[in-house]
Amino acid sequence: MALARPDTGAPGPSSPSTSPKYDVFLSFRGEDVRYGFAAHLCSALDRQGIYTFRDDEHLERGELISDQLRQAIVQSEIAIVVLTENYFSSRWCLEELVTIVDSRDDRGQIVVPVFYGIDPSDVRHQRRSIAAAFEEHEARCSVDTIRRWREASTKISYLRGWVAEIVG
């Protein structure tokens, strides 16, 4: 179901706390898939009338990005998380992931992982490049922050999603 775009003024479905503003929030590591997979996915969703939050189009200049992203996540019906080898090296992506998993747990948001060139079991057990990314984070982040990121990573690895191999 496509929601009314914010600029139309037409109401979307309501919930007790917040009316959804977006159909989909798309979380991805920009340098990995922004101009390839993510761009094609967004185009396909747009063609179907599915209103998708993309940080390159919806972030207002001068606003705190983290607050605006958190708000966009909880104002979305669905979150699609494109997990790549480098996703876990981004503190920003991991914070998005925690917010997405919390939104799923707290309000039942639909979360769909896309394992893009990465094995779901490597995410679940935090092996290979994911283990290396967490080791690097441990030198700069609190134990609590690392724990939250690891728990969110494990939770999303158990969700049913898609496994996509990188072609080319």
Side-chain angles (χ1 to χ4, degrees):
M1 169 179 79
L3 303 176
R5 294 186 186 252
D7 58 335
T8 66
S14 61
S15 69
S17 59
T18 303
S19 293
K21 186 174 181 180
Y22 306 100
D23 293 319
V24 172
F25 180 91
L26 185 59
S27 177
F28 58 93
R29 177 74 191 253
E31 65 189 44
D32 290 348
V33 294
R34 179 180 308 275
Y35 300 111
F37 182 81
H40 294 296
L41 177 58
C42 286
S43 293
L45 293 170
D46 286 345
R47 284 192 302 275
Q48 296 300 313
I50 298 169
Y51 189 43
T52 305
F53 178 91
R54 293 177 288 237
D55 62 355
D56 56 339
E57 291 183 1
H58 294 98
L59 292 178
E60 298 293 326
R61 301 279 182 220
E63 288 195 32
L64 291 174
I65 295 174
S66 60
D67 291 341
Q68 194 173 5
L69 281 176
R70 282 187 185 96
Q71 187 175 14
I73 290 167
V74 300
Q75 291 178 337
S76 298
E77 287 286 325
I78 300 168
I80 298 176
V81 184
V82 182
L83 301 162
T84 57
E85 292 277 333
N86 293 320
Y87 186 93
F88 300 91
S89 65
S90 167
R91 295 180 351 187
W92 198 267
C93 288
L94 290 168
E95 283 298 324
E96 278 184 16
L97 182 60
V98 168
T99 303
I100 289 166
V101 169
D102 287 349
S103 185
R104 178 184 182 273
D105 292 346
D106 296 344
R107 62 177 204 82
Q109 181 179 49
I110 297 168
V111 177
V112 180
V114 177
F115 300 93
Y116 189 76
I118 191 166
D119 189 311
S121 68
D122 286 344
V123 176
R124 183 171 305 120
H125 301 291
Q126 297 163 14
R127 297 185 296 224
R128 303 189 210 306
S129 63
I130 299 162
F134 277 116
E135 285 176 22
E136 286 186 31
H137 291 311
E138 286 171 352
R140 294 183 298 277
C141 300
S142 73
V143 171
D144 184 57
T145 297
I146 299 297
R147 180 193 52 76
R148 290 183 311 108
W149 292 347
R150 286 184 181 277
E151 286 176 3
S153 299
T154 300
K155 282 184 178 183
I156 199 164
S157 74
Y158 282 102
L159 298 179
R160 185 171 178 163
W162 288 284
V163 177
E165 293 185 27
I166 299 173
V167 179

